[in-house]
Amino acid sequence: MESENAILALAALAQPTRLEVFRLLVKHEPEGLAAGDIAKALAVPQNTMSSHLSILSRAGLLNAQRFGRSIVYRADLMHLRTVMLFMLRDCCDGRPEICAPLIADLTPCCQPKPNGKAERKVRGKAERRAYV
């Protein structure tokens, strides 16, 4: 990734409304949201929201798909991943003592959730151990 692409993405997220838009769209992955629904959810006028969505799209952080009269936006998580990896690799310069604490902090929040069956099995074992 080029520095200019990272700067563009980070600059797009450096504005409160655009950051909220991106966070909202991440929560609505993978289905995304229509532009009007985003504006309504964040109480932002539609013409202002259009400008914010355009900036995020140009930065590569959103994908848009037209369905009839509405445009559905989705967060481009792969692009966000690319930007974050660029920052980690560039800033840490291959020095694990710098990157390791950050990666450790990210790991607990990003663990996949077990499916219902496996979760019941684990919970059942824990409950049986509690009675022993």
Side-chain angles (χ1 to χ4, degrees), residues 10-22:
L10 294 170
L13 293 172
Q15 196 277 343
T17 302
R18 291 193 292 269
L19 180 60
E20 287 303 310
V21 168
F22 190 77

Side-chain angles (χ1 to χ4, degrees), residues 87-88 90-104:
M87 293 298 295
L88 276 172
D90 189 59
C91 296
C92 294
D93 196 29
R95 296 174 50 203
E97 70 275 9
I98 296 173
C99 294
L102 175 61
I103 293 168

Side-chain angles (χ1 to χ4, degrees), residues 2-74:
E2 297 292 323
S3 293
E4 293 83 25
N5 293 336
I7 291 167
L8 191 61
L10 294 170
L13 293 172
Q15 196 277 343
T17 302
R18 291 193 292 269
L19 180 60
E20 287 303 310
V21 168
F22 190 77
R23 292 177 67 205
L24 179 67
L25 289 173
V26 168
K27 290 175 185 174
H28 284 86
E29 273 298 304
E31 64 276 354
L33 286 173
D37 293 336
I38 298 168
K40 194 179 303 178
L42 298 179
V44 174
Q46 286 191 3
N47 60 340
T48 304
M49 182 55 66
S50 176
S51 175
H52 289 306
L53 293 169
S54 180
I55 291 167
L56 289 165
S57 294
R58 277 195 305 274
L61 294 166
L62 300 184
N63 293 317
Q65 188 173 8
R66 182 172 288 281
F67 291 100
R69 292 181 55 195
S70 66
I71 299 174
V72 174
Y73 289 88
R74 293 187 56 226

